[in-house]
Amino acid sequence: MDIVEIIESIGEGPAAALFGIVTGIIFGVAAQRSNFCLRAATVEFARGKLGQKVAIWFLTFSTAVVWVQGAQMLGLFRGIDSRVMSVPGSWSGAIIGGLMFGAGMVMARGCSGRLLVLASTGNLRSVVSGLIFAVTAQMSLKGILAPYRDTLASLWITGSENVSLLNLLHLPEWAGLALGVATAALALFLAVRNKLSAKVLVFASGVGFAVAVGWVLTWQLAQVAFDPVPVSSVTFSGPSANTLMFFLDRNAVLEFDVGLVPGVVIGAFLSSMLSREFAWQAFDSVPIMRRSMIGAVLMGFGAMLAGGCAIGNGVTGGSVFAATAWLALFCMWVGAMTTDYLLDQRNLSPAAAC
């Protein structure tokens, strides 16, 4: 059954939601089995290590770039049509929002995508933080925080559309795939040096593959749909807010974003049950809970200001070489490493900090 037949059978909105569920399940399974987490990678790097967490992140990132750029060269997808490239980008939002998000994910002990995966495996800490993240994201999108987000985002914008990093650096189109292959080589080197198992290699790569699946499915749907369909993929700032409102607003419509979040929950839950890793967990203390809640607020506002979360900017936006996404990713690393140094490393013994 092709996309046209799916649309004729269930309609455009349900088809988009179905594609979101499929993409989310792939992401949820792969992220749960690989323990993919940008926060863990930044903390490991900040403490002077190029260990397993860094290797896993580079595997995911490079796989996404290779699959997405390869799909583009085969005519299965066009990055220029993506939502992140077709709207104005914000340099100031990427910087300020990226720093806020990076600080928040260290405080909450996980980025928004990681919190969703952990919540699906019985981690009640992540349930609380994830809900606060979603509410704050919605407040930043259309609520009381929206004017502040708009003011900060408008300080420095790219123009009528976002900017391609490849065009900005005057590089040919094939340079994106070449960079992805080079990054993959680095990732494999780190993986071998850190003795990552074949299972982790496959599932870490699967997270990046999920990003490519989302891009291709939504682009293909946009080509045949009667109504405009946003070309998007895996991110958890907008989708978390949209999914929350879908269950609160009877007039909300089905779309890719609404299917993505439940798909991740289903995938991560089933994966944790099959691997016998599902376990109920709660906050250990009030200070930890307070810190996580503050971190979730910083992530919610920061993600909406930066135009995406650690996945949305760091992997999805990065895979189509949106310049603001790369800037936001860099600032997330800076914010996370600085926060880890100020809040956590100072409380470690010299041996533990190494």
Short mmCIF file of all heavy atoms in Angstrom, two decimals, residues 18-62:
data_model
loop_
_atom_site.label_atom_id
_atom_site.label_comp_id
_atom_site.label_asym_id
_atom_site.label_seq_id
_atom_site.Cartn_x
_atom_site.Cartn_y
_atom_site.Cartn_z
N LEU A 18 -0.17 8.59 11.75
CA LEU A 18 0.35 7.23 11.63
C LEU A 18 1.84 7.24 11.33
O LEU A 18 2.61 6.46 11.92
CB LEU A 18 -0.40 6.48 10.52
CG LEU A 18 0.09 5.07 10.19
CD1 LEU A 18 -0.06 4.15 11.40
CD2 LEU A 18 -0.65 4.50 8.99
N PHE A 19 2.26 8.12 10.44
CA PHE A 19 3.68 8.24 10.13
C PHE A 19 4.46 8.70 11.36
O PHE A 19 5.61 8.28 11.57
CB PHE A 19 3.90 9.21 8.97
CG PHE A 19 3.37 8.71 7.65
CD1 PHE A 19 3.12 9.59 6.62
CD2 PHE A 19 3.11 7.36 7.45
CE1 PHE A 19 2.64 9.13 5.40
CE2 PHE A 19 2.62 6.89 6.24
CZ PHE A 19 2.38 7.78 5.21
N GLY A 20 3.84 9.56 12.16
CA GLY A 20 4.47 9.99 13.40
C GLY A 20 4.64 8.84 14.37
O GLY A 20 5.68 8.70 15.03
N ILE A 21 3.63 7.99 14.46
CA ILE A 21 3.70 6.83 15.35
C ILE A 21 4.81 5.89 14.90
O ILE A 21 5.60 5.40 15.73
CB ILE A 21 2.34 6.09 15.38
CG1 ILE A 21 1.30 6.95 16.10
CG2 ILE A 21 2.47 4.73 16.07
CD1 ILE A 21 -0.10 6.37 16.06
N VAL A 22 4.88 5.62 13.60
CA VAL A 22 5.91 4.72 13.07
C VAL A 22 7.30 5.28 13.38
O VAL A 22 8.19 4.56 13.87
CB VAL A 22 5.73 4.53 11.55
CG1 VAL A 22 6.93 3.79 10.96
CG2 VAL A 22 4.45 3.78 11.26
N THR A 23 7.49 6.57 13.09
CA THR A 23 8.78 7.20 13.37
C THR A 23 9.10 7.17 14.86
O THR A 23 10.23 6.87 15.26
CB THR A 23 8.77 8.67 12.89
OG1 THR A 23 8.45 8.71 11.49
CG2 THR A 23 10.11 9.33 13.12
N GLY A 24 8.09 7.44 15.69
CA GLY A 24 8.29 7.46 17.13
C GLY A 24 8.65 6.09 17.68
O GLY A 24 9.49 5.97 18.58
N ILE A 25 8.02 5.05 17.17
CA ILE A 25 8.32 3.69 17.65
C ILE A 25 9.77 3.33 17.34
O ILE A 25 10.49 2.79 18.20
CB ILE A 25 7.36 2.67 17.01
CG1 ILE A 25 5.95 2.83 17.60
CG2 ILE A 25 7.86 1.24 17.24
CD1 ILE A 25 4.91 1.94 16.96
N ILE A 26 10.21 3.64 16.13
CA ILE A 26 11.61 3.36 15.77
C ILE A 26 12.55 4.12 16.70
O ILE A 26 13.51 3.57 17.23
CB ILE A 26 11.88 3.76 14.30
CG1 ILE A 26 11.04 2.92 13.35
CG2 ILE A 26 13.37 3.59 13.97
CD1 ILE A 26 11.12 3.38 11.90
N PHE A 27 12.25 5.40 16.92
CA PHE A 27 13.09 6.21 17.80
C PHE A 27 13.05 5.66 19.22
O PHE A 27 14.10 5.53 19.88
CB PHE A 27 12.61 7.66 17.79
CG PHE A 27 13.41 8.57 18.69
CD1 PHE A 27 14.48 9.27 18.18
CD2 PHE A 27 13.11 8.70 20.03
CE1 PHE A 27 15.24 10.11 19.00
CE2 PHE A 27 13.85 9.53 20.86
CZ PHE A 27 14.93 10.24 20.34
N GLY A 28 11.85 5.36 19.74
CA GLY A 28 11.72 4.91 21.12
C GLY A 28 12.49 3.63 21.39
O GLY A 28 13.19 3.51 22.41
N VAL A 29 12.36 2.66 20.50
CA VAL A 29 13.08 1.40 20.67
C VAL A 29 14.59 1.63 20.62
O VAL A 29 15.34 1.17 21.49
CB VAL A 29 12.67 0.38 19.59
CG1 VAL A 29 13.57 -0.85 19.64
CG2 VAL A 29 11.21 -0.04 19.77
N ALA A 30 15.04 2.36 19.59
CA ALA A 30 16.47 2.58 19.40
C ALA A 30 17.08 3.39 20.54
O ALA A 30 18.18 3.08 21.03
CB ALA A 30 16.73 3.26 18.06
N ALA A 31 16.39 4.45 20.97
CA ALA A 31 16.92 5.30 22.04
C ALA A 31 16.96 4.56 23.37
O ALA A 31 17.90 4.73 24.16
CB ALA A 31 16.08 6.56 22.17
N GLN A 32 15.95 3.73 23.64
CA GLN A 32 15.92 2.98 24.90
C GLN A 32 17.02 1.92 24.95
O GLN A 32 17.70 1.76 25.96
CB GLN A 32 14.55 2.32 25.07
CG GLN A 32 14.27 1.81 26.49
CD GLN A 32 14.89 0.46 26.77
OE1 GLN A 32 14.97 -0.40 25.90
NE2 GLN A 32 15.31 0.24 28.02
N ARG A 33 17.25 1.26 23.85
CA ARG A 33 18.23 0.18 23.82
C ARG A 33 19.67 0.70 23.76
O ARG A 33 20.60 0.03 24.19
CB ARG A 33 17.97 -0.75 22.63
CG ARG A 33 16.63 -1.44 22.66
CD ARG A 33 16.44 -2.32 23.90
NE ARG A 33 17.35 -3.46 23.87
CZ ARG A 33 17.92 -3.98 24.94
NH1 ARG A 33 17.68 -3.46 26.13
NH2 ARG A 33 18.71 -5.02 24.84
N SER A 34 19.86 1.89 23.21
CA SER A 34 21.22 2.43 23.08
C SER A 34 21.60 3.38 24.20
O SER A 34 22.76 3.75 24.34
CB SER A 34 21.37 3.17 21.74
OG SER A 34 20.53 4.32 21.71
N ASN A 35 20.60 3.82 25.01
CA ASN A 35 20.83 4.82 26.06
C ASN A 35 21.35 6.13 25.47
O ASN A 35 22.16 6.83 26.08
CB ASN A 35 21.82 4.31 27.12
CG ASN A 35 21.22 3.20 27.97
OD1 ASN A 35 20.05 3.23 28.31
ND2 ASN A 35 22.03 2.20 28.29
N PHE A 36 20.84 6.47 24.29
CA PHE A 36 21.23 7.72 23.65
C PHE A 36 20.82 8.91 24.49
O PHE A 36 19.67 9.01 24.93
CB PHE A 36 20.57 7.82 22.26
CG PHE A 36 20.68 9.19 21.65
CD1 PHE A 36 21.85 9.60 21.05
CD2 PHE A 36 19.60 10.07 21.69
CE1 PHE A 36 21.95 10.87 20.49
CE2 PHE A 36 19.69 11.32 21.12
CZ PHE A 36 20.87 11.73 20.52
N CYS A 37 21.74 9.85 24.72
CA CYS A 37 21.43 11.01 25.55
C CYS A 37 22.48 12.10 25.33
O CYS A 37 23.67 11.86 25.57
CB CYS A 37 21.39 10.63 27.03
SG CYS A 37 21.02 12.00 28.14
N LEU A 38 22.06 13.25 24.85
CA LEU A 38 23.00 14.35 24.66
C LEU A 38 23.55 14.84 25.98
O LEU A 38 24.74 15.16 26.09
CB LEU A 38 22.32 15.51 23.92
CG LEU A 38 23.18 16.76 23.73
CD1 LEU A 38 24.42 16.44 22.90
CD2 LEU A 38 22.39 17.89 23.09
N ARG A 39 22.71 14.89 27.02
CA ARG A 39 23.18 15.35 28.32
C ARG A 39 24.34 14.49 28.82
O ARG A 39 25.37 15.01 29.28
CB ARG A 39 22.01 15.29 29.31
CG ARG A 39 22.21 16.04 30.62
CD ARG A 39 22.94 15.29 31.71
NE ARG A 39 22.43 13.97 31.94
CZ ARG A 39 22.97 13.11 32.80
NH1 ARG A 39 24.04 13.46 33.50
NH2 ARG A 39 22.48 11.90 32.94
N ALA A 40 24.20 13.17 28.70
CA ALA A 40 25.26 12.28 29.15
C ALA A 40 26.54 12.50 28.35
O ALA A 40 27.65 12.45 28.90
CB ALA A 40 24.80 10.83 29.03
N ALA A 41 26.39 12.74 27.04
CA ALA A 41 27.57 12.95 26.20
C ALA A 41 28.29 14.24 26.58
O ALA A 41 29.52 14.28 26.65
CB ALA A 41 27.15 12.98 24.73
N THR A 42 27.52 15.31 26.81
CA THR A 42 28.15 16.59 27.15
C THR A 42 28.85 16.53 28.51
O THR A 42 29.94 17.08 28.67
CB THR A 42 27.11 17.73 27.18
OG1 THR A 42 26.06 17.41 28.09
CG2 THR A 42 26.52 17.94 25.79
N VAL A 43 28.24 15.84 29.47
CA VAL A 43 28.85 15.71 30.79
C VAL A 43 30.13 14.89 30.70
O VAL A 43 31.15 15.24 31.30
CB VAL A 43 27.86 15.06 31.78
CG1 VAL A 43 28.56 14.67 33.07
CG2 VAL A 43 26.71 16.03 32.08
N GLU A 44 30.08 13.81 29.94
CA GLU A 44 31.27 12.98 29.77
C GLU A 44 32.40 13.78 29.13
O GLU A 44 33.55 13.73 29.56
CB GLU A 44 30.92 11.77 28.90
CG GLU A 44 32.01 10.72 28.81
CD GLU A 44 31.55 9.50 28.03
OE1 GLU A 44 31.42 9.62 26.79
OE2 GLU A 44 31.31 8.44 28.64
N PHE A 45 32.06 14.55 28.10
CA PHE A 45 33.06 15.36 27.41
C PHE A 45 33.60 16.45 28.33
O PHE A 45 34.80 16.75 28.32
CB PHE A 45 32.43 15.99 26.16
CG PHE A 45 33.40 16.75 25.30
CD1 PHE A 45 34.25 16.08 24.44
CD2 PHE A 45 33.46 18.13 25.37
CE1 PHE A 45 35.15 16.79 23.65
CE2 PHE A 45 34.35 18.85 24.58
CZ PHE A 45 35.20 18.17 23.72
N ALA A 46 32.71 17.06 29.12
CA ALA A 46 33.12 18.13 30.04
C ALA A 46 34.10 17.63 31.08
O ALA A 46 34.91 18.40 31.60
CB ALA A 46 31.89 18.74 30.73
N ARG A 47 34.05 16.34 31.37
CA ARG A 47 34.94 15.76 32.37
C ARG A 47 36.16 15.11 31.76
O ARG A 47 36.82 14.28 32.37
CB ARG A 47 34.14 14.78 33.24
CG ARG A 47 33.00 15.48 33.97
CD ARG A 47 32.19 14.57 34.86
NE ARG A 47 31.03 15.30 35.40
CZ ARG A 47 30.19 14.82 36.30
NH1 ARG A 47 30.37 13.58 36.77
NH2 ARG A 47 29.18 15.55 36.73
N GLY A 48 36.44 15.49 30.51
CA GLY A 48 37.68 15.08 29.88
C GLY A 48 37.69 13.70 29.30
O GLY A 48 38.77 13.11 29.13
N LYS A 49 36.53 13.15 28.96
CA LYS A 49 36.47 11.79 28.42
C LYS A 49 35.83 11.78 27.04
O LYS A 49 34.91 12.55 26.75
CB LYS A 49 35.65 10.89 29.35
CG LYS A 49 36.22 10.72 30.74
CD LYS A 49 35.32 9.81 31.57
CE LYS A 49 35.83 9.67 33.00
NZ LYS A 49 34.94 8.81 33.82
N LEU A 50 36.32 10.89 26.19
CA LEU A 50 35.67 10.58 24.92
C LEU A 50 35.24 9.12 25.02
O LEU A 50 35.78 8.24 24.35
CB LEU A 50 36.62 10.81 23.75
CG LEU A 50 37.00 12.25 23.45
CD1 LEU A 50 38.03 12.31 22.33
CD2 LEU A 50 35.77 13.07 23.06
N GLY A 51 34.25 8.90 25.88
CA GLY A 51 33.83 7.55 26.21
C GLY A 51 32.63 7.07 25.43
O GLY A 51 32.33 7.55 24.33
N GLN A 52 31.91 6.12 26.01
CA GLN A 52 30.80 5.48 25.33
C GLN A 52 29.66 6.45 25.01
O GLN A 52 29.05 6.36 23.94
CB GLN A 52 30.28 4.33 26.18
CG GLN A 52 31.25 3.17 26.31
CD GLN A 52 30.63 1.97 26.99
OE1 GLN A 52 29.46 1.99 27.40
NE2 GLN A 52 31.40 0.91 27.14
N LYS A 53 29.36 7.37 25.91
CA LYS A 53 28.25 8.29 25.69
C LYS A 53 28.52 9.22 24.52
O LYS A 53 27.62 9.51 23.72
CB LYS A 53 27.97 9.11 26.96
CG LYS A 53 27.66 8.27 28.19
CD LYS A 53 26.45 7.37 27.97
CE LYS A 53 26.12 6.59 29.23
NZ LYS A 53 24.98 5.66 29.01
N VAL A 54 29.75 9.71 24.43
CA VAL A 54 30.12 10.57 23.30
C VAL A 54 30.08 9.77 22.01
O VAL A 54 29.59 10.25 20.98
CB VAL A 54 31.53 11.16 23.52
CG1 VAL A 54 31.99 11.92 22.28
CG2 VAL A 54 31.52 12.10 24.73
N ALA A 55 30.57 8.53 22.06
CA ALA A 55 30.56 7.68 20.88
C ALA A 55 29.14 7.42 20.40
O ALA A 55 28.86 7.46 19.19
CB ALA A 55 31.27 6.35 21.17
N ILE A 56 28.24 7.16 21.31
CA ILE A 56 26.84 6.90 20.96
C ILE A 56 26.21 8.13 20.31
O ILE A 56 25.50 8.03 19.32
CB ILE A 56 26.04 6.46 22.19
CG1 ILE A 56 26.47 5.06 22.62
CG2 ILE A 56 24.53 6.51 21.94
CD1 ILE A 56 25.88 4.62 23.95
N TRP A 57 26.49 9.31 20.87
CA TRP A 57 25.92 10.53 20.29
C TRP A 57 26.45 10.75 18.88
O TRP A 57 25.68 11.07 17.96
CB TRP A 57 26.25 11.75 21.15
CG TRP A 57 25.52 12.96 20.66
CD1 TRP A 57 24.26 13.36 20.98
CD2 TRP A 57 25.99 13.90 19.68
NE1 TRP A 57 23.91 14.49 20.27
CE2 TRP A 57 24.95 14.84 19.47
CE3 TRP A 57 27.19 14.04 18.96
CZ2 TRP A 57 25.08 15.91 18.58
CZ3 TRP A 57 27.31 15.10 18.07
CH2 TRP A 57 26.27 16.02 17.89
N PHE A 58 27.74 10.58 18.66
CA PHE A 58 28.30 10.76 17.32
C PHE A 58 27.77 9.72 16.35
O PHE A 58 27.57 10.01 15.16
CB PHE A 58 29.83 10.71 17.37
CG PHE A 58 30.47 12.05 17.63
CD1 PHE A 58 31.04 12.34 18.85
CD2 PHE A 58 30.48 13.03 16.65
CE1 PHE A 58 31.63 13.57 19.10
CE2 PHE A 58 31.05 14.27 16.88
CZ PHE A 58 31.63 14.54 18.11
N LEU A 59 27.52 8.50 16.82
CA LEU A 59 26.92 7.49 15.96
C LEU A 59 25.54 7.92 15.49
O LEU A 59 25.20 7.82 14.31
CB LEU A 59 26.83 6.15 16.71
CG LEU A 59 28.08 5.28 16.74
CD1 LEU A 59 27.91 4.15 17.75
CD2 LEU A 59 28.37 4.71 15.37
N THR A 60 24.75 8.41 16.44
CA THR A 60 23.39 8.86 16.09
C THR A 60 23.42 10.05 15.14
O THR A 60 22.73 10.06 14.12
CB THR A 60 22.63 9.25 17.37
OG1 THR A 60 22.42 8.07 18.16
CG2 THR A 60 21.30 9.88 17.04
N PHE A 61 24.22 11.03 15.47
CA PHE A 61 24.29 12.23 14.64
C PHE A 61 24.77 11.92 13.23
O PHE A 61 24.17 12.34 12.24
CB PHE A 61 25.22 13.26 15.30
CG PHE A 61 25.40 14.51 14.48
CD1 PHE A 61 24.43 15.49 14.47
CD2 PHE A 61 26.55 14.68 13.71
CE1 PHE A 61 24.60 16.64 13.71
CE2 PHE A 61 26.72 15.83 12.95
CZ PHE A 61 25.74 16.81 12.94
N SER A 62 25.85 11.16 13.12
CA SER A 62 26.42 10.85 11.81
C SER A 62 25.47 9.99 10.98
O SER A 62 25.34 10.20 9.76
CB SER A 62 27.76 10.15 11.95
OG SER A 62 27.64 8.91 12.64
#
